[in-house]
Amino acid sequence: MSEAIVSLRNVDKRYIRGKQSVEVLQGLSLDIAKGEFVALMGPSGSGKTTLLNLIGGLDNATAGEITVAGERLDKLGSGALARWRARHVGFVFQFYNLMPMLTAQRNVELPLLLTNLSGAQRKANALAALTLVGIADRAKHKPNELSGGQAQRVAIARALVADPTLLVCDEPTGDLDRKSADEVLHLLQILNRDHGKTIVMVTHDPKAAEFASRQLHMDKGALLEAGTLAA
Amino acid sequence: MFKQLIAALSMGLQTLPQRLGASSVIVIGIAGVVAVLVSVLAMGAGFKHTLADSGRADRAIILRGGSDAELNSSLTRADIDTISNAPGLAKDSSGKALLSNELVIVVNVPKADTGTDANVTLRGVGLKLTEVRPELRIVNGRMFHPAVRELIAGAGAVKQFRGLTAGSMLHLRNADWIVTGVFTSNGDVHESELLADVDTVGSSVERTGYSSAIALLTGPVDFTRFKDALTTDPQLKVDVQREPEYYAAQSKPLTKAINVVGTTVAIIMAIGAMFGALNSMYSAVAARGLEIATLRAIGFGALPVLLSVMIEALLLSLLGGVIGASLAWLFFNGHSVSTLGGAFAQVVFQLTVTRTLIITGIIWACLIGLLGGFFPALRAARLPVAEALRAA
């Protein structure tokens, strides 16, 4: 395996719900190499999204070490974590999370507001990202004027536009019909294969997982060994 | 940071039409607070303005020593004779002192709006009135004649009370008086009064003395000389004040009371409006939870998010403040009212919405907005991103 871009060691995650402590992840260790396309699968409540949030720097581990793109995330404060996310992670959400009042192009420009690029450069880069995902002709449209598949492509363009180290996708096809889902998955596959993007994707859909280069299965807060799964 | 702030703010403002109801609560609530605050304080400002406009620096008022108002002061004819020989007093062409010996009594006149009797000042004035008070102008009818029961009415009094137009007959203290004219005097406190010959007023109430004397000096700088001469004269026991100082002191208690009442009412309303703003901004943050969480996930900092929510609250409050101040100005600026003045008589004055009051109202609005926006902004900035994304 080539150099690990994501490395988790003995990671625990507990949530406090009232007086109850809920153990979501227990002693989880994982390596993801640069350029991998990993599908995280498992039943609801197995801890997939929690793991994805930890890798994406959206949440903090209760214990253990998390290193992503060379940075110990468990050592970063919230401000530093936000800056790290802006530099290294592109997010794709199940329901796209586009800003309804902005056009597709302005949505894609959002991550570039965190860079020193000029307005003209931001616009050019946003159009380039929209072209890459095949939706440049819809640049001036607002999210409510786009189909689900088109909206998700815009969301992928937004995730890509700042050239992040890692794409983190949470059920990216969960709200799409089969055809649109396959188009989006093909797009992710191209981004991984032809553009070298490392992708971590949570999905319930076995067909979607087939597009990934590696499938990981989780249950009750732990990763299942390949043998366990087969059994 | 600035680009993030502008983007977050502009997104927030663009969603305002979808949150029209909640946003209106802030605007309307704060407009109400500012309208009430500015209107009530305009009352105080108008009253103060009316009394402050009364008097000139080269005119002095002489009262009995220890008296704080004309109504409880009394001077004898001998006092007036002594005063008229004091140095610094202006003289007419024939060498007579420009001094108006005055007698102030309170009479009942029905109010124009309710018909109920109200106290009005009937001021007996000396023959040198028009020279001592050159600002006095007859705008309708003619000047009263001495030695007959004739009077002239101030323009403010004519608006507020019944039966004061030129030619009217007035029954005051068991005697009939004719209103021969209406006067103005630069909008000062005397426009709320009735003026008549001092000896005629004295005889109608069987008084031989006077309440005060108004002296026109040769110049403002002669006041000290004039005052010293009178206050060091062993035959006299008088207090001498410049007219503006006297009227400023007269306006103080009521202006203070109006300001205290106005500010108290406004504070109570402001607390209500602040909770309204809190509630509205909390709903705004809740409604925009997914947007805010997404921006934070992308890498937007907590500070731009916090500032954007606060600025949004501030802008809505500012709008409310401007609307409230405009309403106060539109409906109340220049509106004539009357109230009991220092002499237990009605003083007619106009509500005055000054620039300072408008700025005060807008500052109040901004403070309410900032306080109301702060905690929701803090919540937005501290929103746990993963939880907010999951909740959506």
Side-chain angles (χ1 to χ4, degrees):
Chain A
M1 188 186 246
S2 65
E3 174 199 354
I5 201 156
V6 175
S7 170
L8 285 82
R9 292 288 171 271
N10 302 315
V11 169
D12 291 347
K13 179 66 186 176
R14 272 190 301 278
Y15 288 111
I16 305 296
R17 293 272 179 268
K19 287 178 182 174
Q20 274 193 322
S21 171
V22 182
E23 196 93 27
V24 184
L25 300 179
Q26 299 142 23
L28 191 141
S29 294
L30 169 69
D31 285 314
I32 295 172
K34 190 173 180 193
E36 267 197 294
F37 182 174
V38 174
L40 271 175
M41 298 188 71
S44 293
S46 59
K48 309 181 295 291
T49 298
T50 300
L51 175 58
L52 196 72
N53 287 340
L54 292 177
I55 293 171
L58 292 176
D59 207 350
N60 297 310
T62 311
E65 289 177 14
I66 302 174
T67 308
V68 183
E71 194 82 57
R72 278 283 297 272
L73 302 192
D74 51 294
K75 302 270 188 203
L76 297 181
S78 72
L81 209 49
R83 286 190 291 277
W84 176 85
R85 285 198 301 270
R87 248 191 351 265
H88 292 290
V89 189
F91 290 95
V92 180
F93 303 101
Q94 181 178 357
F95 299 107
Y96 335 126
N97 293 18
L98 297 175
M99 303 296 151
M101 72 296 287
L102 302 181
T103 61
Q105 181 199 312
R106 295 288 306 282
N107 264 289
V108 175
E109 278 184 48
L110 280 176
L112 299 178
L113 294 174
L114 307 167
T115 66
N116 291 323
L117 293 179
S118 68
Q121 286 171 313
R122 289 200 300 269
K123 189 177 170 186
N125 287 13
L127 284 172
L130 286 168
T131 305
L132 183 66
V133 300
I135 199 162
D137 58 325
R138 309 293 279 174
K140 296 293 174 200
H141 289 72
K142 288 189 175 175
N144 62 0
E145 298 162 340
L146 303 173
S147 70
Q150 289 172 330
Q152 195 59 296
R153 281 169 183 266
V154 174
I156 292 170
R158 180 181 66 187
L160 281 175
V161 73
D163 193 24
T165 315
L166 185 67
L167 278 186
V168 166
C169 311
D170 191 0
E171 299 273 10
T173 57
D175 195 44
L176 300 179
D177 58 61
R178 189 71 261 161
K179 183 171 172 284
S180 302
D182 285 348
E183 285 170 2
V184 164
L185 289 163
H186 270 297
L187 177 60
L188 290 177
Q189 209 170 36
I190 289 167
L191 291 172
N192 169 251
R193 201 178 51 215
D194 300 348
H195 298 272
K197 289 290 165 201
T198 308
I199 301 174
V200 184
M201 174 178 77
V202 159
T203 181
H204 275 107
D205 178 7
K207 285 194 174 173
E210 285 171 11
F211 284 83
S213 55
R214 180 157 67 122
Q215 294 182 21
L216 295 172
H217 293 263
M218 290 187 72
D219 193 22
K220 295 173 186 164
L223 284 168
L224 299 180
E225 299 295 326
T228 314
L229 183 70
Chain B
M1 154 69 185
F2 188 65
K3 283 186 284 182
Q4 293 178 49
L5 170 61
I6 295 292
L9 179 63
S10 122
M11 278 182 259
L13 294 180
Q14 285 181 67
T15 60
L16 276 180
Q18 289 137 41
R19 298 181 275 121
L20 207 55
S23 310
S24 305
V25 169
I26 301 181
V27 177
I28 294 169
I30 290 177
V33 173
V34 172
V36 168
L37 177 77
V38 172
S39 308
V40 178
L41 295 184
M43 212 182 284
F47 185 75
K48 194 175 171 185
H49 188 250
T50 297
L51 268 75
D53 274 0
S54 307
R56 291 166 35 158
D58 62 352
R59 239 171 11 212
I61 179 166
I62 303 106
L63 302 175
R64 188 186 66 191
S67 302
D68 55 3
E70 287 177 287
L71 212 58
N72 53 29
S73 164
S74 130
L75 300 174
T76 63
R77 283 175 192 277
D79 292 337
I80 298 296
D81 287 342
T82 311
I83 294 165
S84 60
N85 289 316
L89 197 56
K91 304 271 168 51
D92 68 6
S93 53
S94 62
K96 285 188 178 171
L98 292 181
L99 185 76
S100 173
N101 41 324
E102 306 200 339
L103 174 61
V104 172
I105 63 167
V106 174
V107 293
N108 286 332
V109 181
K111 290 189 94 171
D113 51 356
T114 59
T116 53
D117 279 351
N119 291 350
V120 175
T121 297
L122 171 59
R123 179 181 292 272
V125 290
L127 296 175
K128 292 290 174 193
L129 170 72
T130 50
E131 287 158 277
V132 174
R133 291 204 177 98
E135 68 273 17
L136 193 142
R137 297 264 184 278
I138 299 290
V139 292
N140 191 13
R142 61 166 174 84
M143 178 58 89
F144 61 82
H145 288 145
V148 288
R149 289 204 170 101
E150 289 183 353
L151 59 82
I152 55 173
V158 174
K159 279 186 208 158
Q160 290 289 311
F161 303 102
R162 286 183 190 170
L164 295 182
T165 49
S168 303
M169 182 74 83
L170 209 56
H171 192 72
L172 302 173
R173 298 225 177 179
N174 300 321
D176 290 329
W177 293 73
I178 297 171
V179 181
T180 60
V182 175
F183 72 92
T184 59
S185 56
N186 288 348
D188 69 11
V189 70
H190 301 300
E191 284 193 14
S192 311
E193 299 177 342
L194 311 175
L195 305 185
D197 169 46
V198 68
D199 292 326
T200 311
V201 173
S203 69
S204 76
V205 292
E206 297 174 350
R207 276 177 64 175
T208 51
Y210 306 102
S211 307
S212 61
I214 310 298
L216 185 66
L217 307 176
T218 41
V221 289
D222 294 317
F223 174 76
T224 311
R225 191 158 61 101
F226 177 72
K227 181 183 177 181
D228 290 347
L230 296 183
T231 50
T232 55
D233 188 331
Q235 288 185 302
L236 283 175
K237 188 176 181 294
V238 292
D239 285 335
V240 183
Q241 289 174 271
R242 284 183 201 272
E243 258 193 339
E245 287 161 10
Y246 170 76
Y247 285 111
Q250 294 292 303
S251 75
K252 225 175 229 173
L254 188 63
T255 307
K256 195 174 171 186
I258 290 172
N259 287 348
V260 167
V261 170
T263 309
T264 307
V265 170
I267 285 174
I268 294 166
M269 288 185 71
I271 292 170
M274 200 182 73
F275 279 108
L278 265 174
N279 197 30
S280 302
M281 291 313 294
Y282 271 131
S283 0
V285 168
R288 296 184 54 212
L290 181 62
E291 278 167 42
I292 292 171
T294 304
L295 290 177
R296 298 280 285 121
I298 286 172
F300 275 57
L303 190 61
V305 169
L306 180 136
L307 289 176
S308 74
V309 175
M310 286 197 72
I311 292 173
E312 183 184 318
L314 195 65
L315 290 175
L316 290 171
S317 310
L318 196 63
L319 180 63
V322 169
I323 290 173
S326 305
L327 287 176
W329 183 81
L330 209 62
F331 288 105
F332 296 113
N333 191 38
H335 181 71
S336 279
V337 291
S338 67
T339 189
L340 272 182
F344 300 107
Q346 296 283 317
V347 173
V348 180
F349 62 96
Q350 291 188 333
L351 271 70
T352 313
V353 177
T354 61
R355 190 183 298 174
T356 311
L357 286 186
I358 288 176
I359 292 170
T360 304
I362 288 173
I363 289 173
W364 272 60
C366 293
L367 286 177
I368 296 169
L370 282 178
L371 287 173
F374 179 71
F375 292 103
L378 204 59
R379 176 181 286 185
R382 287 179 170 174
L383 201 70
V385 181
E387 262 182 59
L389 289 171
R390 195 178 301 132

